[in-house]
Amino acid sequence: GKKGGHKGRARQYTSPEEIDAQLQAEKQKAREEEEQEEGGEGATGDPKKEKKSLDSDESDEDDEDYQQKRKGVEGLIDIENPNRVIQTTKKVTQLDLDGPKELSRREREEIEKQKAKERYMKMHLAGKTEQAKADLARLAIIRKQREEAARKKEEERKAKDEAAMAGKRLQSLSLNK
């Protein structure tokens, strides 16, 4: 049979007790640091630190976290990429809901398309477009044809009525004899 690769031959698993011990040690270390910071601020009386503690703003904390999260050479070199969009979070009070919002290209094109269609329909109803002129010409031809057909039907009906009347007269004359 095949032997497995070199990966995973010497696996070591951490027991749950060791994980708990590590977590407790980290918590204890964090508590000690907080106590030292609280005790140190009052003793030094540094105005910058006091001001920062009074104006504890979320943005200051976010900036510090951002500096810590840099990866690779980002911490060494300041790179200004014009294509990189930095997303800024806005507070609800900063949002401008009443102001005009910018439309995307697709939305603008859709609105322009609808306006062009409305303009075309107005011109079409006014008879100014080529298609409207062709439709009106075709409609005029159809009206003439229908008028001629109606006139022919009327003439045929009159001719039939006259023939029927003439036939009745002959019958009445022949019966009278």
Side-chain angles (χ1 to χ4, degrees):
K2 294 183 181 180
K3 289 188 177 181
H6 64 280
K7 296 181 179 179
R9 281 190 184 162
R11 288 187 182 161
Q12 295 178 346
Y13 298 102
T14 308
S15 66
E17 293 83 21
E18 291 177 19
I19 294 172
D20 290 338
Q22 288 175 355
L23 289 173
Q24 288 177 356
E26 288 176 8
K27 288 179 183 178
Q28 184 66 28
K29 189 176 181 183
R31 282 187 210 136
E32 290 173 2
E33 288 177 2
E34 287 177 9
E35 290 174 3
Q36 287 177 359
E37 286 178 9
E38 289 175 4
E41 279 184 18
T44 58
D46 190 11
K48 289 183 181 177
K49 286 185 179 180
E50 289 176 7
K51 184 180 178 185
K52 189 172 182 181
S53 65
L54 293 174
D55 297 336
S56 61
D57 211 13
E58 292 179 10
S59 61
D60 293 338
E61 295 171 6
D62 291 341
D63 291 342
E64 291 172 5
D65 292 341
Y66 178 72
Q67 294 295 334
Q68 293 174 357
K69 291 181 184 176
R70 286 190 165 183
K71 297 178 185 174
V73 293
E74 286 183 2
L76 302 173
I77 304 170
D78 283 335
I79 299 171
E80 185 61 33
N81 185 354
N83 296 327
R84 182 169 174 255
V85 177
I86 300 171
Q87 293 185 353
T88 57
T89 56
K90 291 186 177 181
K91 295 182 180 176
V92 176
T93 57
Q94 293 175 341
L95 291 177
D96 185 23
L97 298 176
D98 297 333
K101 70 171 192 172
E102 294 184 23
L103 300 174
S104 68
R105 179 184 55 85
R106 287 184 179 169
E107 290 172 338
R108 276 195 315 267
E109 288 177 356
E110 186 67 28
I111 290 171
E112 289 173 6
K113 197 178 194 182
Q114 289 175 352
K115 287 182 180 178
K117 191 173 184 180
E118 289 174 8
R119 264 186 270 124
Y120 180 80
M121 289 305 293
K122 285 181 183 178
M123 290 182 68
H124 185 75
L125 292 174
K128 295 180 180 178
T129 61
E130 294 295 322
Q131 187 178 3
K133 290 176 184 175
D135 289 345
L136 290 173
R138 198 174 328 115
L139 186 62
I141 292 170
I142 291 172
R143 282 183 182 156
K144 286 182 182 178
Q145 289 175 350
R146 287 183 180 169
E147 287 174 6
E148 290 174 9
R151 199 175 322 123
K152 285 182 183 178
K153 282 184 181 178
E154 187 66 29
E155 289 175 2
E156 288 176 5
R157 196 180 73 219
K158 285 181 181 179
K160 284 183 182 178
D161 287 343
E162 289 178 9
M165 292 296 280
K168 285 183 181 179
R169 285 185 201 155
L170 287 177
Q171 282 182 355
S172 62
L173 287 176
S174 63
L175 291 176
N176 288 338
K177 288 188 183 176

